[in-house]
Amino acid sequence: MACRAGCCCNSIGNINEDNARFLMLALLIIIYLLCGAAVFSALEHPKEKLAKERWAQRIEQFTHKYNLSQDDLKNFLRNYEEANVAGIRVDTTRPRWDFAGAFYFVGTVVSTIGFGMTTPVTIAGKIFLIFYGLIGCAATILFFNLFLERVITVIAFVLKFCHERRERRKAGPAQNCHRPSTGNRERRTDSLAGWKPSVYCVMLILGVAAILVSCCASAMYSAAEGWDYLDALYFCFVAFSTIGFGDMVSNQREMYKAQAAYRVGNFLFILTGVCCIYSLFNVISIVIKQVLNWLLRRLETPCRCPARGNRHTRRNVVVPGHMRPRRENSIETDAVNDSEADGRRMSGEMISMKDFLAANKVNLAIMQKQLSEMANGHPRQLGSSSRHNEFSGGVGALGIMNNRLAETSVDR
């Protein structure tokens, strides 16, 4: 059946790929939120109803026992809630706003954890917090980005070293004993030049590191705070992921055994854990984007319109594979295509890194790095343009990791 008003596939097939990925991600997040709400409601709502019933019974029993009106008792409880916001507890706790307590507070602010157990109550403190958090959070995020850059550098060099050893073993013991020929050296160089570290290996290493840090920190919190080990693990994830509910907060008692050592360990574990989880989240986001690209390719349908072959497709649109225009062969495009194929074969990825790493166009960290290189008279070499394009794009830590993966995929 012929289409009267142009191709019938335009409404679906020619959606911009970035917009299609964005809409699909938004839809999946909404579904994820609905599923999460259903699960938590089923798990926690009965407990909430039971707690409300018990609290109503206790209020009624207390008013009858001491001959008080419920209104007077509720007013007293409201006063206690106001005191609780100021940091006053029934049990003795450490001061909230001495220097050590204030340092703990600003640490939760700039790390975006925000437990909520300590908050400024004065107008001057609230105004100062706005400007202090604006600069502190930005600086801390930059620190996390630089930490991720160095972690990716170390992991990439380790993976590259393992890849080189595997290549030497494949070459055989005879070639290891004798001096390799020029052709063998060139083939080995080409193999290493096309190699790229696998995002799955990076995710696995970061995941193992985050688990080890969380388990060690949970053992310390369980012993020092008297928490159950699973509750300590729960606290570690909430704190390290900067969710920061505030229902469980470490280092709040007035005295601890080996207090100085515990405070130092608490600071180091939170700092290391936040950096590891932050890095892991960035790598998982890359994998999620890869899955989105795979879903987009699965949703592609062939176009049966007869006049479709004469139409020019827009840049970066989702179209059937057999309808995509073929690139003209050139030195640069051949290098890019060869690098994509080599990267998929050697790193075991489902699709090329370019497909799921080249997302956003603006990256302040990379922009400043490039401006600094240009200002110092050290622009990027043209010979590395293909690999830079392979890993270019991304915002914040994602873009820094893309650049680092590109830079460490070749010998410096």
Side-chain angles (χ1 to χ4, degrees):
M1 180 176 180
C3 302
R4 295 181 180 179
C7 180
C8 59
C9 301
N10 286 338
S11 59
I12 299 177
N14 276 8
I15 300 177
N16 183 279
E17 187 173 355
D18 292 335
N19 294 334
R21 188 186 300 109
F22 171 77
L23 294 175
M24 179 176 291
L25 180 60
L27 178 62
L28 291 177
I29 289 177
I30 292 174
I31 296 174
Y32 192 76
L33 292 175
L34 294 175
C35 294
V39 172
F40 281 112
S41 178
L43 293 175
E44 301 295 336
H45 188 59
K47 185 77 172 181
E48 180 190 23
K49 292 177 61 177
L50 183 60
K52 286 183 177 181
E53 293 174 359
R54 290 179 177 176
W55 179 248
Q57 293 176 359
R58 290 177 180 177
I59 290 290
E60 186 176 358
Q61 293 174 0
F62 188 85
T63 54
H64 284 305
K65 182 177 180 179
Y66 295 99
N67 195 19
L68 297 173
S69 66
Q70 291 192 5
D71 293 337
D72 292 338
L73 181 58
K74 289 180 179 179
N75 289 332
F76 178 77
L77 293 176
R78 290 190 186 96
N79 293 331
Y80 174 72
E81 289 178 353
E82 294 178 358
N84 193 20
V85 172
I88 299 174
R89 300 290 188 272
V90 176
D91 298 326
T92 303
T93 57
R94 55 176 292 182
R96 296 294 178 90
W97 291 110
D98 62 347
F99 184 79
F103 183 81
Y104 193 86
F105 167 73
V106 296
T108 61
V109 170
V110 300
S111 63
T112 69
I113 296 176
F115 285 122
M117 80 290 182
T118 304
T119 55
V121 295
T122 62
I123 299 298
K126 293 177 181 178
I127 294 176
F128 178 73
L129 175 64
I130 295 175
F131 296 98
Y132 184 83
L134 183 66
I135 299 175
C137 293
T140 306
I141 291 175
L142 177 60
F143 172 80
F144 290 156
N145 289 343
L146 297 178
F147 175 85
L148 175 60
E149 180 182 358
R150 280 147 183 80
V151 168
I152 293 299
T153 301
V154 173
I155 294 176
F157 276 116
V158 170
L159 293 177
K160 183 178 179 181
F161 175 76
C162 296
H163 176 72
E164 290 177 347
R165 294 200 62 177
R166 285 196 301 267
E167 290 295 321
R168 293 193 189 100
R169 291 178 181 176
K170 290 179 181 179
Q175 293 185 8
N176 292 335
C177 298
H178 300 85
R179 187 174 182 179
S181 62
T182 305
N184 292 333
R185 285 200 302 267
E186 291 178 354
R187 283 194 297 269
R188 183 179 300 175
T189 302
D190 294 339
S191 175
L192 293 176
W195 176 82
K196 292 178 293 186
S198 172
V199 67
Y200 303 114
C201 294
V202 174
M203 183 177 66
L204 178 62
I205 295 173
L206 289 175
V208 171
I211 291 174
L212 289 177
V213 171
S214 299
C215 290
C216 295
S218 299
M220 183 189 72
Y221 292 131
S222 180
E225 302 287 350
W227 296 338
D228 184 73
Y229 188 79
L230 290 179
D231 289 337
L233 272 177
Y234 160 80
F235 165 77
C236 287
F237 177 78
V238 171
F240 297 167
S241 60
T242 69
I243 296 175
F245 289 126
D247 53 341
M248 299 177 66
V249 182
S250 62
N251 198 21
Q252 295 301 303
R253 296 182 189 172
E254 194 170 10
M255 290 298 297
Y256 288 93
K257 294 181 180 179
Q259 182 165 319
Y262 175 64
R263 288 185 176 180
V264 173
N266 179 54
F267 174 78
L268 293 178
F269 270 123
I270 289 181
L271 178 63
T272 307
V274 169
C275 290
C276 290
I277 296 295
Y278 179 84
S279 304
L280 182 62
F281 282 170
N282 277 276
V283 178
I284 292 177
S285 67
I286 296 176
V287 177
I288 291 175
K289 190 172 182 184
Q290 184 177 5
V291 174
L292 292 176
N293 287 339
W294 178 79
L295 290 176
L296 288 177
R297 284 165 175 76
R298 296 288 294 178
L299 292 176
E300 290 177 0
T301 55
C303 180
R304 293 183 173 84
C305 299
R308 184 62 178 167
N310 297 328
R311 297 175 61 88
H312 295 284
T313 59
R314 290 177 294 142
R315 177 181 174 270
N316 198 22
V317 295
V318 180
V319 295
H322 69 281
M323 300 298 298
R324 293 175 183 167
R326 299 181 62 88
R327 297 181 180 178
E328 299 212 358
N329 294 329
S330 64
I331 297 176
E332 184 177 0
T333 56
D334 288 345
V336 173
N337 295 333
D338 292 341
S339 179
E340 289 179 358
D342 292 340
R344 284 195 296 271
R345 285 196 300 270
M346 296 182 182
S347 60
E349 298 155 9
M350 289 192 295
I351 58 177
S352 66
M353 298 286 287
K354 179 182 178 181
D355 290 335
F356 62 91
L357 287 179
N360 303 307
K361 307 297 185 294
V362 180
N363 179 359
L364 180 59
I366 294 180
M367 184 186 303
Q368 289 181 338
K369 184 177 180 181
Q370 293 173 348
L371 289 175
S372 177
E373 291 174 352
M374 296 299 294
N376 295 329
H378 301 289
R380 293 187 177 273
Q381 300 295 327
L382 295 177
S384 61
S385 60
S386 62
R387 293 182 187 88
H388 172 66
N389 291 334
E390 281 289 311
F391 291 88
S392 61
V395 172
L398 183 60
I400 291 178
M401 184 166 60
N402 297 345
N403 264 15
R404 183 56 58 188
L405 286 171
E407 292 170 359
T408 54
S409 63
V410 295
D411 290 324
R412 295 187 182 182

